[in-house]
């Protein structure tokens, strides 16, 4: 059974307790690595400038630390034992992984938005901004 390495665990620990609980269960089902949780001003704005985020600091759910909360968003990717360990072009694996994540979240009573289904319709053809590693807590 897989578990997070120290770097992934440290990144996960910058997140809201609900995300921590979800991904500690997800990693037991499918190995994965945490790219980021909370983002500082420089990182968020750099990603915006690169076109990899639609929001500047502090408007992303990755930027909640300034409110004395932990990140409500996380970027996580499937991790494969055989190189390449992260397969950025493998959309099927990202979709499979997202299904696991959303299912685990639902079992915890948490609704998530996935970065390849921003409107939560499950119709991926409607998506206009791919951010497949991204998951965020959906709060109405």
């Amino acid at each position: 059974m897989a578990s997070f390495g120290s770097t992934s665990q440290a990144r996960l620990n910058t997140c809201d307790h609900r995300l921590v609980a979800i991904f500690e269960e997800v990693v037991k089902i499918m190995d994965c690595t945490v790219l980021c949780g909370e983002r500082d001003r420089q990182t968020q704005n750099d990603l915006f400038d690169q076109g990899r985020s639609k929001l500047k600091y502090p408007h992303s759910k990755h930027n909640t630390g300034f409110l004395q909360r932990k990140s409500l968003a996380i970027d996580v990717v499937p991790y494969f034992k055989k190189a390449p360990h992260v397969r950025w072009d493998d959309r099927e694996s990202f979709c499979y992984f997202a299904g696991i994540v959303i299912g685990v979240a639902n079992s915890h009573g948490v609704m998530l938005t996935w970065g390849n289904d921003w409107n939560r319709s499950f119709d991926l053809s409607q998506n206009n901004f791919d951010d497949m590693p991204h998951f965020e807590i959906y709060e109405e």
Side-chain angles (χ1 to χ4, degrees), residues 32-48:
C32 52
T33 188
V34 179
L35 303 177
C36 76
E38 181 70 26
R39 291 185 188 147
D40 62 24
R41 178 185 305 271
Q42 184 68 47
T43 302
Q44 183 65 42
N45 289 339
D46 286 349
L47 291 169
F48 177 83

Side-chain angles (χ1 to χ4, degrees), residues 117 119 121 123-128:
D117 185 22
N119 64 5
S121 69
D123 181 355
L124 304 185
S125 68
Q126 296 178 351
N127 187 48
N128 61 10

Side-chain angles (χ1 to χ4, degrees), residues 61-132:
K61 287 192 176 182
H62 283 285
N63 312 137
T64 55
F66 76 100
L67 295 173
Q68 304 305 317
R69 294 170 43 186
K70 297 223 176 184
S71 181
L72 297 176
I74 189 169
D75 290 353
V76 184
V77 295
Y79 183 87
F80 296 91
K81 289 181 184 181
K82 184 178 174 187
H85 301 294
V86 176
R87 300 175 185 167
W88 294 103
D89 295 329
D90 186 350
R91 295 179 70 81
E92 290 83 7
S93 291
F94 274 96
C95 290
Y96 184 82
F97 179 68
I100 292 169
V101 172
I102 291 167
V104 169
N106 286 343
S107 75
H108 283 255
V110 178
M111 292 191 304
L112 294 180
T113 298
W114 175 43
N116 208 43
D117 185 22
W118 291 103
N119 64 5
R120 299 175 33 82
S121 69
F122 300 105
D123 181 355
L124 304 185
S125 68
Q126 296 178 351
N127 187 48
N128 61 10
F129 179 71
D130 284 349
D131 190 358
M132 291 191 289

